[in-house]
Amino acid sequence: MSIPTGPSFNELPPAERQAVLERLAVTLGRNAAWADAEGDDALGMVMRSVGTALLSVAADLANTETALAEDVAGRAIGLITTFHARHPEYPVGPALH
């Protein structure tokens, strides 16, 4: 039995690839703020820089540089994974107060 999966990043329409890249950029920025608040300045600076750059080129990458866009998305996910490994107390899902 196999688990059904959606299309790969390269198979997404350009608008959806752009949305994925923009969401990754926003996540990098949000996580950078948390890292900074926790004193993890180096990781915060790298994540903020990559997130800002990614947000500014997301449309171009999604529409004309599919292979590069996929590589950048993978690297952004790597930064997010590093962040969660270094800051496991960061809330990952919604919380009720």
Side-chain angles (χ1 to χ4, degrees):
M1 178 177 183
S2 65
I3 297 173
T5 60
S8 71
F9 184 82
N10 287 337
E11 296 171 334
L12 294 173
E16 289 184 33
R17 282 195 303 266
Q18 181 179 346
V20 168
L21 293 173
E22 289 172 349
R23 183 66 187 140
L24 287 169
V26 168
T27 300
L28 286 169
R30 184 188 64 227
N31 291 0
W34 177 281
D36 288 342
E38 294 295 310
D40 196 348
D41 298 331
L43 182 60
M45 181 175 32
V46 170
M47 293 179 76
R48 182 174 292 93
S49 297
V50 172
T52 300
L54 181 54
L55 196 56
S56 70
V57 297
D60 289 336
L61 288 177
N63 287 296
T64 62
E65 298 287 342
T66 307
L68 181 57
E70 183 176 33
D71 183 56
V72 169
R75 292 173 189 270
I77 291 168
L79 278 172
I80 293 166
T81 301
T82 298
F83 168 80
H84 285 290
R86 290 172 72 161
H87 299 281
E89 69 282 2
Y90 183 78
V92 195
L96 298 176
H97 297 279

